[in-house]
Amino acid sequence: MSAKSNAKNYVNDVLNTVKIVSPRQPIFHQAATEVLQSLVPLFEREPKYQKHSVLDRIVLPEKTTIFRTVYIDDKGKACVHFGYRVEFNSALGPYKGGLRFHPTVNLDVLKFLGFEQIFKNSLTGLNIGGAKGGANFDPKGKSDGEIMRFCQAFASELSKLIGDVKDVPAGDIGVGAREIGYMYGQYKKITSRFDGAFTGKGLSWGGSLVRTEATGYGSVYFAEELLKTKNDNLEGKTCTISGSGNVAIYTAQKLYHYGAKPIAVSDSSGYIYDKEGIDVELLKELKEVKRERISEYAKIKPSAKFVSVSKYPKDRNGIWDVPCDAAFPSATQNELNLEDAKTLYNNGCRLVCEGANMPSNLEAIDFFLSKKDLLFGPAKAANAGGVAVSALEMAQNASMTSWSFEEVDTKLQNIMKHIFKISYEASKEFGDEGNIVLGSNIAGFRKVADAMIDQGYI
Ligand code: GLU
């Protein structure tokens, strides 16, 4: 059998096994398919990965913990939730990855996120393994007391797993500075340790400057690197950004620094289009301080209009109908399908840079890759800035120092440049120059896989 068909068969065999051993996990299958299929050219050249069954091992989390989480709501009712921590891979360092609190959280979602995190973390060049956790808890509409009690209940179990050189959680959707604070307080109470067991901490108690901004800033730095390959830059470009959490907010802020104009942002209720450009301070006030719906923005700013999701079929995301030069999907997984991709392209969009995890589905990615005049920055490369600064927070905690904003921001820029460079070089090495999906998957995988081989069958 040729090396090519052998490599293809190996990938298909592992993907079939994943389907059998992890039934009813379509989102994890999607993530595994996206990564594994682009590794075929690597396996054609390097039979050692098959010999050491690296793929068979890497698709299985090292350890998965599921725990009951119960808290008392303001009416005195006991509310019961599933808590999870998927410790996927520790070949490169302590488990690292965020916690998501959202009603859609289940093992499928967390396995997809944990799996992506392995390769994303590897790309940063820093010593961090991959993990993800969370709960099917909806923070929306909860009082501060309810959030605190939920976080304490969740952290009581989580604390048995984590530690500064063991497993270091951070935020993700529904988990920001407030939640990290409540969980860290509980961790400290249980373990009597003031160590860097979480990242995204408050600045006065071990947090790092730039952590809040990092994912959004990093995604814009990555977009600039993509544009440089075409002797272009962000200046003067109109941009749409889905989402309005910290990724979207700081993507918008950094776009202005580069002379671009963000014109639309969204939340689960719909999107706003502001022809004058998104007012970042107003967005921060509404979303970070007041925790309001995005429609409030249009009530305050006359240049903006709000378009409700109810105007669109369930599988479409209205924001992608807004004509733009560049799109930054920064809300959640599978928020951009083939129809959205075609609409963006037909309206003139020539750059898509993913701030969320796996926002484009497989058909949309294939469409983007088929367009030679469109630049595509896949999530695990483009949104790695957040976890990269988390690793810098760990480094500062370990050496009991704190770096200035400029120092951390410069390191972040260099890390994003490094990720782009190794992904671009791998795309070239494997015969499809500029295909950053291929390049980032191969570059991210190779480092973890080699470490797994070095460390024996564990
Ligand atoms: N949740 C973020 C991500 O998807 C950050 C994880 C972290 O900082 O550990 O990468």
Side-chain angles (χ1 to χ4, degrees):
M1 204 185 292
S2 73
K4 192 173 188 144
S5 52
N6 205 13
K8 261 204 181 123
N9 287 346
Y10 179 42
V11 162
N12 288 337
D13 284 352
V14 174
L15 282 173
N16 284 337
T17 310
V18 168
K19 282 201 177 126
I20 294 163
V21 299
S22 331
R24 293 184 297 282
Q25 295 185 354
I27 308 181
F28 174 53
H29 295 159
Q30 181 186 336
T33 304
E34 191 256 327
V35 173
L36 267 58
Q37 280 180 349
S38 57
L39 298 175
V40 170
L42 176 68
F43 299 147
E44 283 169 20
R45 270 193 218 176
E46 297 276 6
K48 67 174 177 183
Y49 298 119
Q50 187 166 359
K51 177 173 171 249
H52 293 288
S53 298
V54 174
L55 264 198
D56 315 58
R57 291 192 278 150
I58 214 166
V59 294
L60 290 183
E62 289 172 9
K63 186 160 107 184
T64 303
T65 310
I66 304 181
F67 48 91
R68 187 173 67 200
T69 304
V70 190
Y71 77 103
I72 307 276
D73 73 10
D74 288 347
K75 295 189 188 97
K77 185 179 182 306
C79 302
V80 186
H81 292 278
F82 281 97
Y84 305 84
R85 185 70 177 162
V86 181
E87 297 179 321
F88 228 117
N89 196 294
S90 61
L92 296 181
Y95 300 111
K96 183 82 198 89
L99 299 170
R100 179 176 289 193
F101 291 167
H102 194 268
T104 57
V105 163
N106 56 32
L107 195 54
D108 182 24
V109 168
L110 295 178
K111 279 179 70 181
F112 126 63
L113 289 165
F115 187 67
E116 285 284 295
Q117 200 82 43
I118 305 171
F119 309 105
K120 182 196 312 198
N121 294 4
S122 160
L123 285 168
T124 65
L126 304 164
N127 281 109
I128 39 179
K132 207 82 188 190
N136 62 340
F137 166 74
D138 189 359
K140 220 177 279 162
K142 301 288 189 298
S143 71
D144 198 55
E146 288 173 325
I147 297 280
M148 190 197 297
R149 291 193 294 279
F150 178 79
C151 287
Q152 289 171 340
F154 183 85
S156 297
E157 281 303 319
L158 188 73
S159 295
K160 296 173 187 165
L161 302 169
I162 64 174
D164 58 347
V165 288
K166 225 170 137 186
D167 182 351
V168 185
D172 194 81
I173 294 172
V175 178
R178 172 179 62 162
E179 291 73 19
I180 294 291
Y182 294 150
M183 286 190 275
Y184 190 64
Q186 185 73 355
Y187 167 80
K188 213 156 46 76
K189 189 175 162 79
I190 290 173
T191 63
S192 305
R193 288 178 64 90
F194 195 109
D195 63 21
F198 284 85
T199 59
K201 299 187 289 301
L203 292 176
S204 61
W205 42 277
S208 173
L209 286 161
V210 197
R211 178 62 192 88
T212 314
E213 295 85 351
T215 313
Y217 279 19
S219 154
V220 177
Y221 296 147
F222 199 84
E224 268 288 292
E225 293 303 305
L226 281 166
L227 285 162
K228 272 188 204 161
T229 63
K230 301 258 183 232
N231 291 322
D232 199 358
N233 59 46
L234 282 161
E235 192 164 355
K237 299 217 175 347
T238 53
C239 307
T240 51
I241 311 166
S242 61
S244 46
N246 80 319
V247 181
I249 290 172
Y250 294 98
T251 296
Q253 189 177 77
K254 187 49 76 179
L255 283 170
Y256 279 120
H257 296 173
Y258 279 90
K261 187 175 171 188
I263 50 168
V265 288
S266 66
D267 68 10
S268 55
S269 66
Y271 73 89
I272 48 148
Y273 166 69
D274 187 343
K275 58 179 184 298
E276 283 180 1
I278 298 297
D279 180 335
V280 175
E281 286 316 308
L282 175 60
L283 185 64
K284 276 170 75 169
E285 168 79 11
L286 291 174
K287 283 294 179 181
E288 286 180 344
V289 184
K290 295 188 174 153
R291 300 177 194 275
E292 297 269 18
R293 306 306 295 162
I294 201 80
S295 48
E296 292 303 306
Y297 181 105
K299 290 184 189 153
I300 298 168
K301 210 138 171 257
S303 56
K305 69 168 188 180
F306 170 69
V307 180
S308 162
V309 276
S310 61
K311 292 212 164 62
Y312 281 86
K314 256 204 156 58
D315 65 333
R316 286 292 321 286
N317 190 344
I319 196 169
W320 308 129
D321 280 359
V322 178
C324 62
D325 300 314
F328 292 79
S330 307
T332 193
Q333 68 269 10
N334 289 331
E335 53 160 318
L336 199 163
N337 65 17
L338 181 60
E339 208 179 326
D340 298 322
K342 286 182 177 165
T343 308
L344 277 169
Y345 186 82
N346 292 336
N347 284 336
C349 175
R350 291 295 178 268
L351 168 76
V352 177
C353 194
E354 297 186 324
N357 289 309
M358 206 169 73
S360 310
N361 73 11
L362 290 172
E363 291 79 27
I365 295 175
D366 284 345
F367 176 83
F368 289 141
L369 293 179
S370 73
K371 299 289 170 200
K372 291 301 162 208
D373 59 346
L374 182 139
L375 295 162
F376 181 62
K380 66 174 73 64
N383 79 24
V387 76
V389 173
S390 273
L392 300 179
E393 183 172 328
M394 289 162 71
Q396 292 169 81
N397 294 164
S399 53
M400 298 191 84
T401 47
S402 42
W403 302 329
S404 69
F405 193 96
E406 289 67 31
E407 262 176 292
V408 182
D409 194 25
T410 304
K411 286 185 200 294
L412 170 63
Q413 284 185 51
N414 289 336
I415 291 167
M416 297 315 293
K417 281 186 184 158
H418 162 82
I419 295 173
F420 180 77
K421 187 166 176 275
I422 59 171
S423 303
Y424 194 89
E425 278 169 4
S427 76
K428 212 161 139 185
E429 186 186 340
F430 286 88
D432 194 0
E433 187 168 346
N435 178 345
I436 306 297
V437 173
L438 173 84
S440 62
N441 282 334
I442 290 185
F445 173 84
R446 200 158 40 179
K447 191 173 169 207
V448 184
D450 290 344
M452 286 171 74
I453 294 172
D454 290 347
Q455 292 169 24
Y457 304 148
I458 44 166

